[in-house]
Amino acid sequence: MSQHFDVVVIGAGPGGYIAAIRAAQLGFKTACIDDFIGKDGKPALGGTCLNVGCIPSKALLQSSENLHALEHDFAEHGIKVGKASFDAKQMIARKDGIVTKLTGGIGFLFKKNKVESLHGKGSLKAQNNGKWQIEVTKGKQKDLIEATHVIVATGSRPRPLPLVTIDNKNVLDNEGALNLTAVPKRLGVIGSGVIGLEMGSVWKRLGSEVTILEAMPTFMAAADQQIAKEAFKTLTKDTGLIIQLNTKIKEITNGKTVKVTYEVDAKEHTLEVDKLIVAIGRTPNTEGLGAKEVGLAVDERGFITVNDLCQTNLPNVWAIGDVVRGPMLAHKASEEGVAVAERIAGQKPHVDFNSVPWVIYTSPEVAWVGKTEEQLKAEGIEYKKGTSSFAANGRALGLGQAQGTVKILACTKTDRILGVHMIGPMVSELISEAVVAIEFKASSEDLARIIHAHPSLSEVTHEAALAVDKRALHG
Ligand code: FAD
Ligand code: NAI
């Protein structure tokens, strides 16, 4: 007889592993199936995020920022060093070490919480007497397990560009981009989305000439456009990225070098590079899941269809994270995972998409939460705004990173904060205060009346809140 679980989670990314842990904490007999194989050829938990996404990219970003600081910023502090040398293999080894530590940590958390970890590909087979049969395939071995509830958290993979094949030698997806062991002289990137900007920044700081080709005429279309414009200026002028918007890729040839033919305003151009990263978005993983066989509804773009509660069209089958609608972000996946486990337990949790923070880890960083000015205008919501700059902030000047802006948008009538947009040093951390404010339905006056430590970067948020009421003290 097949083993029975209360909850089986398919996928051990930040959506799935968190859902499994929370389900186990709530007393459910839980298993989590995952098929990811790490760089060392062994099963690795943590999904895209830990293995080939959030965590390794941030490790490389830090390494490249350190080299950049050593080469460009230390002299200003009176610190003089000879010519720096750089070992890309060591940087990649450090990144791999961080990945192994964290993916191994999930195995430990599974043991601690008594989550049964099953390696293999999970697919839905049938529902009999209210129990779901799930097949776990590992090589030639096929095992059948049974679950009352199934949480699908199979994540996403890079969206392919039909014109070119990813070989992860010359033409790279996120995995290849995170594993280059030498700095390419010329690097091309297709897509100025989050991966393109983060990976482009890494290799630019390490010495590549980086050209990014973007299809859209607008840069960072999802971000507030005042902040996006500032980001475009600093990323092109200061970081030195060449960003070409409004491009149409016509042809890509992969030989000794990679040649990209593209058009801008019907004029043809060619870009020749040593490596090319393709980062044009991601596609949900539903192949081999048995979706068609069991009648699991999937939309025209391949996302599993869910309602606000992450329920699919099938009884007791839930879906979360990148494989469903909404932002493809690790923290969104995890929040949905917690919420679904709690719903199975009969609780009434709530996930508010309006308070999901976004962060782009360029330098300076970009972060936001809530509505942009463009969204508020489109929705006809009257708002007032306050902005403040890092230029005169003592802590930012001390850090040597006095660049950027914080903008707060608040409702004209009620003063409730509707959106907070930031570009500047460590705004990935500063945005948390804004998330709390939005989640607690705070007014700009609430933020303005809170004491912020001095000297700290958070004083810029404070000043922006004061500026909403036109009473900035340093502006
Ligand atoms: P995933 O993390 O994709 O995990 C799904 C898991 O399920 C995988 O292990 C997969 O192999 C497995 N799986 C798939 N099908 C099956 C099956 N049938 N059976 C068994 N297992 C299966 N987000 C952020 O919030 N912050 C960041 O800084 C950030 N940086 C990123 C950088 C890069 C380069 C990339 C590519 C992504 C980044 N993301 C970031 C996005 C983030 O990685 C995803 O939003 C997040 O991983 C989604 O989590 P998930 O659990 O839905 O899916
Ligand atoms: P993305 O959706 O952020 O950006 C893709 C970009 O490629 C878009 O600007 C799009 O207009 C462009 N594009 C699409 N087709 C194109 C074409 N044919 N030619 C030129 N440009 C084209 O996707 P990306 O960067 O691949 O990242 C995937 C997801 O991973 C993101 O949506 C994000 O949610 C997540 N991520 C999050 C990070 C973070 O939170 N810091 C970091 C990296 C990724």
Side-chain angles (χ1 to χ4, degrees):
M1 219 181 72
S2 49
Q3 205 180 354
H4 178 79
F5 294 92
D6 300 318
V7 178
V8 165
V9 184
I10 308 179
Y17 86 76
I18 288 291
I21 291 173
R22 187 72 189 117
Q25 280 177 350
L26 290 163
F28 295 115
K29 188 177 176 203
T30 306
C32 184
I33 311 166
D34 191 85
D35 65 355
F36 197 92
I37 298 288
K39 225 178 137 182
D40 57 4
K42 294 185 188 143
L45 300 170
T48 304
C49 173
L50 265 64
N51 288 286
V52 290
C54 326
I55 299 302
S57 58
K58 268 77 244 177
L60 298 192
L61 278 155
Q62 190 59 49
S63 298
S64 70
E65 279 174 22
N66 288 352
L67 181 68
H68 188 271
L70 181 72
E71 287 178 335
H72 300 279
D73 305 337
F74 279 19
E76 187 191 311
H77 295 262
I79 303 166
K80 295 202 176 99
V81 284
K83 187 166 167 30
S85 71
F86 170 67
D87 179 351
K89 285 194 181 111
Q90 167 55 29
M91 173 183 76
I92 298 293
R94 172 184 181 271
K95 178 266 292 178
D96 290 342
I98 295 170
V99 168
T100 309
K101 190 173 178 169
L102 290 183
T103 55
I106 295 177
F108 167 79
L109 288 174
F110 275 180
K111 277 201 187 97
K112 187 178 158 205
N113 288 283
K114 299 192 174 55
V115 173
E116 177 117 7
S117 183
L118 303 170
H119 179 70
K121 196 161 185 77
S123 64
L124 289 161
K125 286 283 144 195
Q127 197 190 29
N128 288 334
N129 302 323
K131 313 273 183 238
W132 282 101
Q133 252 110 51
I134 302 136
E135 191 171 72
V136 186
T137 310
K138 190 168 134 196
K140 285 188 179 141
Q141 189 185 328
K142 286 185 191 298
D143 295 314
L144 210 57
I145 59 172
E146 215 178 59
T148 308
H149 287 269
V150 180
I151 305 176
V152 180
T154 47
S156 65
R157 61 180 185 287
R159 186 162 80 81
L161 183 66
L163 293 166
V164 72
T165 307
I166 301 289
D167 61 8
N168 272 336
K169 288 196 176 83
N170 290 339
V171 182
L172 319 165
D173 59 12
N174 56 301
E175 259 186 89
L178 291 163
N179 281 317
L180 289 174
T181 48
V183 181
K185 196 163 171 297
R186 297 159 305 176
L187 175 70
V189 182
I190 301 188
S192 70
V194 205
I195 296 181
L197 294 175
E198 291 187 0
M199 287 294 100
S201 299
V202 166
W203 295 105
K204 172 65 197 168
R205 280 194 286 265
L206 298 177
S208 298
E209 184 185 301
V210 178
T211 307
I212 304 182
L213 304 177
E214 165 61 45
M216 298 271 284
T218 315
F219 182 65
M220 282 190 190
D224 184 279
Q225 284 305 297
Q226 180 188 342
I227 301 293
K229 285 197 179 81
E230 197 171 332
F232 188 82
K233 208 163 141 200
T234 47
L235 291 173
T236 50
K237 285 216 166 118
D238 302 337
T239 309
L241 298 174
I242 301 162
I243 305 174
Q244 177 66 63
L245 301 175
N246 207 12
T247 61
K248 189 163 196 263
I249 311 291
K250 304 296 282 183
E251 194 185 8
I252 301 175
T253 55
N254 180 2
K256 240 182 168 175
T257 60
V258 184
K259 285 193 188 129
V260 185
T261 311
Y262 63 95
E263 270 181 14
V264 182
D265 297 331
K267 224 176 135 199
E268 200 164 281
H269 303 262
T270 306
L271 173 72
E272 187 174 3
V273 289
D274 304 293
K275 304 279 176 192
L276 179 74
I277 298 174
V278 179
I280 57 166
R282 295 180 64 83
T283 312
N285 285 329
T286 49
E287 290 73 28
L289 186 62
K292 212 172 171 185
E293 291 79 351
V294 294
L296 179 64
V298 170
D299 72 16
E300 62 289 349
R301 292 191 303 149
F303 291 94
I304 295 176
T305 312
V306 286
N307 63 12
D308 287 350
L309 305 180
C310 290
Q311 283 166 318
T312 70
N313 63 316
L314 299 178
N316 293 351
V317 179
W318 310 74
I320 59 169
D322 278 13
V323 79
V324 302
R325 52 52 199 136
M328 286 185 161
L329 296 172
H331 41 283
K332 175 263 191 186
S334 300
E335 257 336 279
E336 285 183 332
V338 168
V340 165
E342 292 179 351
R343 275 175 205 133
I344 291 172
Q347 298 180 11
K348 303 242 175 309
H350 176 64
V351 179
D352 181 3
F353 278 176
N354 191 47
S355 48
V356 176
W358 279 84
V359 179
I360 306 178
Y361 293 81
T362 44
S363 180
E365 294 175 343
V366 175
W368 72 91
V369 59
K371 306 263 190 202
T372 63
E373 276 201 63
E374 291 72 30
Q375 285 171 322
L376 292 174
K377 279 181 191 146
E379 291 172 26
I381 299 170
E382 283 184 45
Y383 64 92
K384 46 189 180 166
K385 68 175 160 181
T387 56
S388 182
S389 152
F390 286 93
N393 175 270
R395 181 87 170 111
L397 284 163
L399 286 168
Q401 296 174 37
Q403 212 181 19
T405 304
V406 173
K407 173 161 91 171
I408 298 181
L409 304 172
C411 175
T412 308
K413 284 191 201 118
T414 63
D415 192 34
R416 181 173 163 185
I417 297 171
L418 303 172
V420 179
H421 304 272
M422 304 176 162
I423 176 168
M426 300 305 282
V427 296
S428 55
E429 303 294 335
L430 296 186
I431 199 67
S432 287
E433 180 182 18
V435 177
V436 172
I438 287 200
E439 192 70 48
F440 283 19
K441 301 184 173 41
S443 63
S444 80
E445 188 187 353
D446 288 331
L447 269 195
R449 291 193 182 278
I450 287 171
I451 301 172
H452 290 70
H454 176 75
S456 74
L457 299 171
S458 68
E459 288 173 294
V460 181
T461 310
H462 188 219
E463 281 285 323
L466 288 165
V468 173
D469 196 33
K470 298 196 174 31
R471 56 190 187 98
L473 295 165
H474 297 85

